[in-house]
């Protein structure tokens, strides 16, 4: 059972470039989340989804977009990369908001 | 507005002793609390949780205590082992809303 899989693990982007962080889960979870973690900071919620076709903003959504066309996939899109988006990004999924979430291994993104 | 705070960025203990990690929150509407553990280059993994209607939950070497009047929770690890060395995040949620995480505490257990 793979759980939550994120690709890529590492990426360096130039300012203004765009990219998509992929996330897929094989646990048939309805809830999926994208977090970012900056050094010395907790995890900040970027976007979340409670099911296919439904997405909502979290604490720090600016500069990002998401889609949820299937239960399994929840890609995160950066349209115009900025140095402030340098961070480690985690995707997670759960069966509900009050149930423990399963996290992917993270994507370390550097914008230069 | 940091609603969940872990005021100690790091904690160092000797193997076999007790580790106590602390977490404070400001929102009295939180009704469920969780602890996650994170090793370097890995995603966080769920450790233990507690509902706001309880004041203690125990799972093996891990016990979480909740003091609602003080808006404080703590994670006790007894006995501590070197493999427990990791970053520990506390998180809180209120019904209909999303998880809010603290900043994390780096625990180092020395052999």
């Amino acid at each position: 059972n793979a759980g939550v899989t994120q690709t890529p693990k590492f990426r360096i982007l130039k300012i203004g470039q765009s990219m998509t962080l992929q996330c897929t889960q094989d646990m048939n979870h309805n809830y999926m989340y994208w977090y970012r973690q900056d050094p010395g900071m907790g995890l900040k919620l970027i976007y979340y989804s409670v099911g296919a076709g439904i997405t909502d903003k979290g604490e720090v959504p600016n500069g990002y977009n998401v889609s949820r066309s299937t239960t399994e996939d929840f890609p995160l899109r950066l349209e115009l990369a900025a140095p402030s988006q340098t961070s480690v990004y985690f995707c997670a999924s759960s069966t509900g908001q009050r149930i423990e979430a399963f996290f992917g291994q993270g994507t370390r993104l550097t914008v230069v | 507005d940091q609603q969940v705070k872990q005021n100690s960025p790091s904690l160092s203990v000797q193997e076999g002793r007790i580790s106590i990690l602390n977490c404070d929150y400001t929102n009295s509407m939180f009704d469920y609390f969780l602890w996650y553990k994170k090793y370097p280059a890995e995603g966080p993994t769920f450790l233990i949780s507690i509902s706001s209607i309880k004041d203690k939950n125990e799972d093996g070497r891990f016990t979480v205590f909740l003091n609602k009047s003080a808006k404080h929770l703590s994670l006790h690890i007894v006995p501590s082992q070197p493999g427990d060395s990791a970053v520990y995040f506390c998180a809180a949620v209120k019904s209909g809303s999303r998880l809010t995480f603290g900043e994390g505490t780096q625990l180092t257990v020395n052999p």
Side-chain angles (χ1 to χ4, degrees):
Chain A
N1 206 350
V4 179
T5 303
Q6 291 182 236
T7 56
K9 287 187 170 51
F10 305 93
R11 183 73 186 267
I12 298 174
L13 276 183
K14 293 185 178 179
I15 294 171
Q17 285 186 320
S18 62
M19 77 164 294
T20 299
L21 282 67
Q22 302 291 346
C23 176
T24 186
Q25 52 95 7
D26 61 1
M27 297 173 283
N28 201 33
H29 286 168
N30 285 327
Y31 287 73
M32 294 189 75
Y33 315 84
W34 274 106
Y35 290 91
R36 60 177 286 173
Q37 185 193 8
D38 300 321
M41 305 290 287
L43 294 109
K44 301 292 185 184
L45 184 65
I46 305 170
Y47 270 95
Y48 68 101
S49 169
V50 301
I54 306 169
T55 62
D56 209 347
K57 296 178 180 178
E59 299 172 82
V60 289
N62 291 342
Y64 307 95
N65 278 301
V66 293
S67 60
R68 184 93 183 273
S69 57
T70 67
T71 298
E72 295 79 19
D73 301 306
F74 191 40
L76 178 71
R77 178 85 178 160
L78 283 72
E79 291 293 350
L80 289 170
S84 61
Q85 294 177 305
T86 294
S87 190
V88 181
Y89 292 83
F90 291 100
C91 178
S93 72
S94 69
T95 57
Q97 286 189 345
R98 297 179 64 194
I99 307 299
E100 55 269 24
F102 293 81
F103 283 79
Q105 289 198 317
T107 296
R108 183 175 294 276
L109 176 67
T110 303
V111 182
V112 295
Chain B
D1 176 26
Q2 187 69 24
Q3 298 188 60
V4 178
K5 281 198 70 65
Q6 294 176 255
N7 291 312
S8 298
S10 62
L11 174 68
S12 182
V13 299
Q14 285 299 120
E15 181 178 6
R17 305 295 290 269
I18 184 171
S19 296
I20 301 176
L21 296 109
N22 294 303
C23 180
D24 296 297
Y25 61 95
T26 58
N27 192 336
S28 59
M29 298 300 291
F30 287 139
D31 58 2
Y32 200 69
F33 303 88
L34 305 92
W35 284 94
Y36 283 82
K37 179 169 72 174
K38 184 184 178 305
Y39 292 118
E42 294 184 10
T45 55
F46 170 74
L47 191 57
I48 192 169
S49 63
I50 187 167
S51 166
S52 62
I53 63 173
K54 295 186 175 181
D55 54 19
K56 177 182 175 181
N57 188 26
E58 190 172 353
D59 184 2
R61 296 185 298 112
F62 303 90
T63 303
V64 57
F65 295 92
L66 176 63
N67 182 335
K68 282 183 290 184
S69 61
K71 297 191 178 68
H72 177 83
L73 68 156
S74 60
L75 175 68
H76 292 211
I77 307 174
V78 182
S80 301
Q81 300 173 353
D84 297 328
S85 297
V87 176
Y88 289 78
F89 292 99
C90 72
V93 65
K94 59 182 179 180
S95 181
S97 189
R98 48 167 176 76
L99 273 178
T100 300
F101 283 86
E103 305 93 327
T105 297
Q106 172 70 57
L107 173 66
T108 302
V109 180
N110 301 303

